[in-house]
Structures are given as structure tokens and as C-alpha cells.
Amino acid sequence: MTTICDLPEDVLVELLSLLPAQDLIRTCRLVCTQWRYVVDLTTLWKRKCQREGFYIQNLDRSVSDWKIFYMLCSLKRNLIKNPSAEENFQHWKLDNNDGDKWKIEDLPGTHGKDMPDPKVHKYFVTSYGPCFKSQLITLQKEGYWNQLMDEKRPEIVVKDWYAARFDCGCRYELTVRLLSEDYIVLEEFHPEPVVIEQWNDAAWREISHTFQNYPAGVRYIWFQHGGQDTQFWAGWYGIRVTNSSITIGPLTL
């Protein structure tokens, strides 16, 4: 009697590549020596990448581990929750909420401009006192296991968008920290504050940073942004922020 184990290797690769990655690693790999061998094959994970649209021809030489590449591609998404104020202030911790406090407004807003991304409809806006808000991302909860972060150290890409009102000056700040299990700062991105003068172009600008070759032991990412207006006007004349994102490699996608 012919069994599935009697199938040629290429047919077995094709069949197993249809299964979810978790099933392959946790179940199929344990069936027998042959299946373990097939599940560990580069061709199987490359086939999965092709099947799910992660494969790009000119990547062949730059990908050292197709299984990890597949895992990173399938996990890749924005780790910041509620980045564009669609769920009020849900998921954000309001670290400083001074002046007339944080507020949410619809784009383009008074004396403002629309975002380059038409899918973004709202933004958070600061007041005349310091307004800062943050999120703490637990990598293991998001599917990024410790060994992956320590051995592969995939690129961590941070992006944020900010803008001023045309008629008021303001200040914008961003801090992103890679933290250990004990919340020790292993690496930090904290550029000089951006000060925008009154009578500016009100354009939305993107700030971006990529963490690479960071120390082992990263377990959390802490993201904080905010600022205030520089003319101390009552109301919401300060910096506007929206469409924040943190994504973890690969950069090729």
C-alpha cells in the first residue's frame, strides 16, 4: 500500500507548503525523519513565500534563511495600535496632558492640509502645555520570540507623521527605545525636537528611523511622541501627529 511518505520529495514539498507554518513546525516536523527533513528544506519555505506573495526573484542571494524570512514576512504589520485616532485614545497612555489637553480632529483641520495617505482621516493635536503619549509594545505578545530577536535581529522601522497649523508655531518630539526584559534601554532614537515657526506651510512631514544590529535582549519597544504650541494660545494650536508605525523586517517588503 502506498502512503503519503512514499510520495516523491517535490510532491511532498508542494503538499506540505500548503499548510500553516505553525502546523509544519509543531506537528508535521515530528511525524517522521523524512517529514522533518522536508519541513527544514529551503525549497519548502521558498515555495511558501512564492505562494503568499513574499518572494521576489532578486532576493535569492540576500536571504540567508527562507524559513525566518517567511516568518518575518507573515508577521509583518504595524505594531502601533490606533495610529490614526480612529479609536479615540484607545491603546495610548497619556504621559503629559497639559494646557487644554490632547484632542482629536478631522483632516485637514483648521489652517491645515490633507495627509499624503488618503486612508488617514484623523489626527491627534496638542495644546499650549506639554502633551505626550506613548505605547509599549511587548514583542513576544506580537509573535516575535526571544531567539528570533536575539539571533536574527530583524530591522525595526519606526515612522511618524507630524504637521503644524499655518497660523501658529509649535514643537514636535519623538522618542523610541528598545528595552530589555528589565526595561533597560538597549538602544534609543531621540532626534532633536523639531520647532516649526508661525506662518509655515502646514505640510505633513514623515520622520523615519531604522534600528539595525542592535544588542541582543530586546523584549519591548517604547514609542512616545508629542509636543505643544510655542505661542501658548488657549485651545489646540500645537503639533499634530498621526499615522505612526513600527514594523519589523524584512526591509525588502
Side-chain angles (χ1 to χ4, degrees):
M1 187 180 75
T2 306
T3 68
I4 194 168
C5 292
D6 299 319
L7 292 171
E9 187 181 287
D10 57 337
V11 177
L12 201 51
V13 163
E14 194 63 27
L15 284 174
L16 291 179
S17 71
L18 292 164
L19 296 173
Q22 232 172 352
D23 292 346
L24 286 171
I25 291 161
R26 291 185 180 172
T27 309
C28 299
R29 217 175 160 273
L30 308 177
V31 170
C32 63
T33 311
Q34 187 199 12
W35 278 37
R36 183 188 303 134
Y37 167 77
V38 172
V39 168
D40 289 345
L41 281 174
T42 294
T43 47
L44 181 137
W45 294 99
K46 198 184 273 195
R47 185 71 190 96
K48 281 189 76 61
C49 287
Q50 286 171 327
R51 199 184 288 285
E52 294 180 40
F54 303 147
Y55 178 83
I56 303 161
Q57 196 70 45
N58 61 4
L59 277 179
D60 271 17
R61 287 181 185 170
S62 60
V63 175
S64 59
D65 186 328
W66 280 93
K67 178 161 64 173
I68 294 298
F69 181 80
Y70 173 85
M71 298 292 191
L72 287 170
C73 289
S74 55
L75 280 169
K76 193 169 185 181
R77 66 202 185 282
N78 187 2
L79 300 178
I80 294 275
K81 295 172 175 64
N82 186 26
S84 306
E86 294 295 342
E87 300 171 80
N88 201 3
F89 288 101
Q90 200 175 337
H91 305 293
W92 290 99
K93 180 172 180 269
L94 303 182
D95 304 316
N96 293 83
N97 205 14
D98 296 337
D100 283 324
K101 302 185 177 180
W102 279 100
K103 189 188 178 193
I104 290 166
E105 294 179 348
D106 293 324
L107 279 158
T110 310
H111 294 299
K113 289 185 177 171
D114 276 317
M115 274 278 299
D117 186 344
K119 296 194 289 292
V120 180
H121 304 293
K122 295 174 186 282
Y123 58 83
F124 303 94
V125 58
T126 61
S127 186
Y128 61 87
C131 293
F132 289 92
K133 61 185 178 68
S134 64
Q135 284 192 32
L136 181 70
I137 293 156
T138 305
L139 291 170
Q140 207 149 21
K141 272 190 196 168
E142 302 296 339
Y144 296 92
W145 61 99
N146 296 349
Q147 191 183 2
L148 173 72
M149 296 306 297
D150 294 349
E151 291 180 9
K152 300 300 176 183
R153 312 212 191 152
E155 297 93 346
I156 299 170
V157 181
V158 179
K159 295 181 180 180
D160 199 23
W161 287 84
Y162 64 91
R165 282 176 62 122
F166 160 73
D167 58 347
C168 188
C170 60
R171 175 186 175 102
Y172 165 79
E173 290 186 54
L174 171 68
T175 307
V176 186
R177 292 174 181 155
L178 307 185
L179 305 174
S180 72
E181 198 168 341
D182 302 322
Y183 303 99
I184 293 162
V185 180
L186 299 177
E187 204 150 305
E188 179 180 79
F189 174 62
H190 180 59
E192 284 294 308
V194 177
V195 179
I196 301 171
E197 301 299 327
Q198 189 181 21
W199 316 123
N200 58 81
D201 62 5
W204 284 93
R205 288 180 169 81
E206 184 186 50
I207 186 167
S208 177
H209 178 74
T210 302
F211 290 99
Q212 291 175 305
N213 304 316
Y214 44 83
V218 174
R219 300 294 176 260
Y220 304 96
I221 304 171
W222 184 74
F223 176 102
Q224 186 196 59
H225 64 178
Q228 64 189 101
D229 87 47
T230 51
Q231 287 159 248
F232 305 100
W233 292 353
W236 297 274
Y237 290 84
I239 198 73
R240 301 166 169 186
V241 291
T242 194
N243 204 27
S244 315
S245 68
I246 294 176
T247 51
I248 296 184
L251 283 179
T252 43
L253 282 188

